[in-house]
Amino acid sequence: MGAIPAPRAQSSVARSVPAAAAVPFIEPDRVDRKLLHQRPPPSPVPTPASAAVAAPPPRAPSIIIGSTQQALINNDRAGAGRGPLSWSSCLYSVALANAKRMAAQGFISHTNGPNADLSCHVGSRAGENVGYWTGGVNDAQLNTMFMNSPDHRANIMGPYRYVGTAWVTAPNGVAYIAVELS
């Protein structure tokens, strides 16, 4: 038996372009030094037609929806030509604390909501809507009540960018909501 010759080393470059469009491979030690100092060809001057399609417009930031009440508020704002409010977990924390307080005391009240809202540092203005419903959580009903009240509606349509909402149900079944805006 004769010896089997060792396979010869081969180099290849994987290409994902068709052979007709393939660019020849130049090994690094064979690069022509004159090519390294050549300037690239000038870019074509954009024409008005090509400039218009050159770059897509920047995308608007996505709006995070954290509650049904927020979605209803954003629908109200869209109907009035206002921008949507994005969810703020900090404002949600303020809303939750206020809803818990109201459920514990058994009546609605404004205490420190707007001041606490400003501590979230998501805006320079703050507003708060509070309410309750004896039949438990009912986002649609409370949103309708807020929109039918001039002061609450003004908060919903106000110059805010963020919202946090929370419901807390008291042991007697009455649900309290706080809506914090900034």
Side-chain angles (χ1 to χ4, degrees):
M1 269 196 189
I4 299 174
R8 292 182 16 198
Q10 296 180 351
S11 65
S12 65
V13 176
R15 291 187 175 30
S16 61
V17 292
V23 178
F25 175 74
I26 301 174
E27 292 182 15
D29 60 353
R30 294 188 184 174
V31 173
D32 185 349
R33 297 281 175 211
K34 288 187 275 183
L35 293 176
L36 293 176
H37 299 290
Q38 287 183 345
R39 290 187 179 165
S43 299
V45 176
T47 62
S50 66
V53 295
R59 293 180 54 173
S62 60
I63 300 299
I64 299 168
I65 302 296
S67 73
T68 301
Q69 190 66 220
Q70 177 198 6
L72 293 169
I73 288 169
N74 281 343
N75 280 341
D76 296 333
R77 289 174 62 89
R82 305 285 303 174
L85 302 177
S86 194
W87 186 256
S88 165
S89 58
C90 182
L91 292 175
Y92 164 74
S93 296
V94 174
L96 182 60
N98 285 330
K100 284 180 178 180
R101 177 187 44 77
M102 291 185 295
Q105 68 192 21
F107 59 91
I108 61 171
S109 64
H110 295 279
T111 324
N112 65 347
N115 289 331
D117 294 346
L118 291 173
S119 71
C120 290
H121 304 288
V122 293
S124 60
R125 297 178 180 182
E128 176 182 64
N129 288 347
V130 297
Y132 73 96
W133 190 248
T134 57
V137 174
N138 190 331
D139 280 302
Q141 182 63 45
L142 264 291
N143 179 260
T144 298
M145 291 169 67
F146 288 150
M147 290 301 289
N148 288 335
S149 161
D151 291 338
H152 294 98
R153 180 185 181 87
N155 273 345
I156 289 171
M157 297 299 167
Y160 306 117
R161 294 180 42 219
Y162 296 94
V163 67
T165 70
W167 282 94
V168 173
T169 304
N172 65 358
V174 176
Y176 294 85
I177 186 172
V179 177
E180 307 297 330
L181 305 123
S182 188

